Amino acid sequence: MTDDNARLRTNRLTLRPPTAGDVQAVYEIHHDPSACAHNPSDALTTPDEAARLLDRWLGHWHASGFGYWVVRRHDDPTVLGFCGIKSVHLDDHPALNLFYRFAPAAWGQGIASEAAHAVVAWAREHLPDLPVIARVRPANTASQHVATKAGLTRTEHLDRNGEDGPDLFFTTTWPH
């Protein structure tokens, strides 16, 4: 699945680390009200906000050697969205938070599920001691399906209120 430690490849997709040149794609996707409908606090209003967000992503890559990947089809430069993991702590346990956000034009094609599955497989291979978690809004059934297709299962005892409302938790494993 990986052609090196930083790039992932699936049947249809290439996932690569972001670069400074991705700022416009970050802005366009995070500025789209549909893309952020379930997480309105993630919506961006200016290109400067996109640049700051991308700087945080690049900083995580620099510090950790992994982060959010840019997702596109093979041999097509169009950015479909972003999918990856970042280091977090949940209930004093280290974990990897699975993130995925795609342009609405990419929805309904299994792209998010394919990318998320690749990222979770990468995490299990390279960081096997860390559980992967996904926080999903109750009304976002499409995102719930992505999490389960990526290999995560509902972990109800972790559910709680998040920044934009209730969070349902999905995990690969969870320490007891």
Side-chain angles (χ1 to χ4, degrees):
M1 180 175 309
T2 61
D3 51 12
D4 63 41
N5 201 28
R7 288 186 180 264
L8 306 178
R9 187 173 175 87
T10 71
N11 289 339
R12 299 182 294 167
L13 306 173
T14 299
L15 289 73
R16 63 161 174 79
T19 67
D22 293 315
V23 69
Q24 185 62 32
V26 171
Y27 175 69
E28 288 173 5
I29 292 171
H30 286 82
H31 183 69
D32 187 310
S34 297
C36 295
H38 294 283
N39 298 80
S41 65
D42 290 348
L44 301 178
T45 57
T46 68
D48 285 343
E49 289 176 332
R52 288 191 296 275
L53 177 60
L54 183 56
D55 282 344
R56 287 194 302 273
W57 292 1
L58 294 171
H60 191 279
W61 269 98
H62 181 71
S64 304
F66 63 88
Y68 296 161
W69 281 269
V70 175
V71 180
R72 60 179 184 77
R73 291 185 188 276
H74 302 305
D75 303 320
D76 185 345
T78 304
V79 174
L80 301 172
F82 311 98
C83 184
I85 48 175
K86 75 174 181 178
S87 300
V88 296
H89 276 82
L90 178 66
D91 296 341
D92 296 322
H93 295 284
L96 301 169
N97 187 74
L98 177 64
F99 168 83
Y100 37 90
R101 176 155 297 127
F102 288 85
W107 294 358
Q109 302 169 45
I111 291 169
S113 295
E114 190 172 327
H117 186 271
V119 168
V120 171
W122 184 94
R124 286 183 162 175
E125 179 181 344
H126 295 277
L127 303 163
D129 296 334
L130 294 175
V132 177
I133 64 171
R135 296 176 288 198
V136 182
R137 303 285 167 261
N140 194 348
T141 56
S143 185
Q144 293 174 40
H145 289 160
V146 170
T148 58
K149 287 181 179 181
L152 281 63
T153 57
R154 275 287 285 124
T155 314
E156 292 88 353
H157 72 278
L158 294 176
D159 292 353
R160 63 196 65 197
N161 283 325
E163 192 170 339
D164 290 316
D167 283 331
L168 303 181
F169 275 76
F170 295 75
T171 67
T172 51
T173 58
W174 191 255
H176 296 295

